[in-house]
Amino acid sequence: MKKIAVCTIQNSKITLNEKVVFSSQDITFQEFAKEAYKSLDLNYPKFHKMDSLSKLAFLSAEMILKNQDKTRTALVFANRSSSLDTDFKYQDSINSKENYFPSPAVFVYTLPNICVGEISIRHQMQTENAFFVLDEFDESFLNNYAQQILDTRKAEKVLCGWVELYQESYKAFVYLLTL
């Protein structure tokens, strides 16, 4: 297998293949994501409704997939916190005295694999996908899983990545593999 492209997002900076493509001041993740979306001239209105984890995964995938043939590309992602950041926001909406009902707009994002679904919808991908919750980033685990997908010809490429986000701590390390 070989890596075709690598994107990292951390500390208000997006790097694609070791070149900085977007950088901002040290701001909240929500502000950073909004600035990156505008600066990179992305056109996907659903982005603004996504939770933070989905925005992180979306931005990193977008950097890699924008110039790729996306047909037969599988997705394999992982993180440590699952959707905990959004889960707390959903719990807050349940506990809120102002709201009689919890927010269904937040509830949608209380599963970590939703971010993989957002990428699939955006790029019309109908291939294998998985989202694992691991104690730490394990590139060999992701690569072995990707290798099985490629060996069985379920896909021609696999977008793999670690997309960890909890409160204001975030990091994406996403890469595209092929045989």
Side-chain angles (χ1 to χ4, degrees), residues 30-152:
Q30 282 295 340
E31 294 166 331
F32 167 75
K34 188 176 181 179
E35 283 186 18
Y37 177 88
K38 284 182 189 176
S39 174
L40 298 167
D41 200 28
L42 302 177
N43 184 19
Y44 193 65
K46 281 183 63 177
F47 178 82
H48 303 291
K49 294 181 180 183
M50 292 180 193
D51 74 324
S52 294
L53 180 63
S54 295
K55 287 179 180 179
L56 179 63
F58 181 90
L59 287 170
S60 57
E62 201 65 19
M63 295 298 92
I64 292 175
L65 296 175
K66 66 181 175 185
N67 296 319
Q68 294 287 330
D69 175 12
K70 292 159 266 296
T71 56
R72 302 205 14 91
T73 300
L75 302 167
V76 179
F77 280 61
N79 76 4
R80 180 182 181 140
S81 299
S82 185
S83 59
L84 195 56
D85 187 68
T86 301
D87 295 347
F88 279 124
K89 290 176 181 152
Y90 182 67
Q91 185 64 45
D92 286 345
S93 79
I94 291 172
N95 296 340
S96 172
K97 302 278 188 227
E98 294 108 35
N99 297 328
Y100 184 70
F101 295 103
S103 172
V106 176
F107 175 74
V108 169
Y109 293 98
T110 57
L111 294 171
N113 64 333
I114 296 302
C115 65
V116 173
E118 292 286 5
I119 296 165
S120 296
I121 292 166
R122 161 72 164 157
H123 295 286
Q124 300 174 347
M125 301 163 112
Q126 298 177 358
T127 54
E128 296 288 317
N129 67 66
F131 195 107
F132 296 98
V133 179
L134 307 171
D135 285 335
E136 60 188 20
F137 175 58
D138 186 345
E139 189 169 1
S140 63
F141 174 82
L142 296 178
N143 290 352
N144 288 337
Y145 196 89
Q147 185 72 56
Q148 290 176 2
I149 291 171
L150 294 169
D151 287 347
T152 57

Side-chain angles (χ1 to χ4, degrees), residues 6-9 12-24 32 36 39-40 59 63-64 66:
V6 177
C7 177
T8 59
I9 301 176
S12 301
K13 186 185 324 178
I14 301 175
T15 305
L16 180 63
N17 299 324
E18 299 183 8
K19 294 179 183 170
V20 175
V21 293
F22 178 78
S23 179
S24 183
F32 167 75
S39 174
L40 298 167
L59 287 170
M63 295 298 92
I64 292 175
K66 66 181 175 185

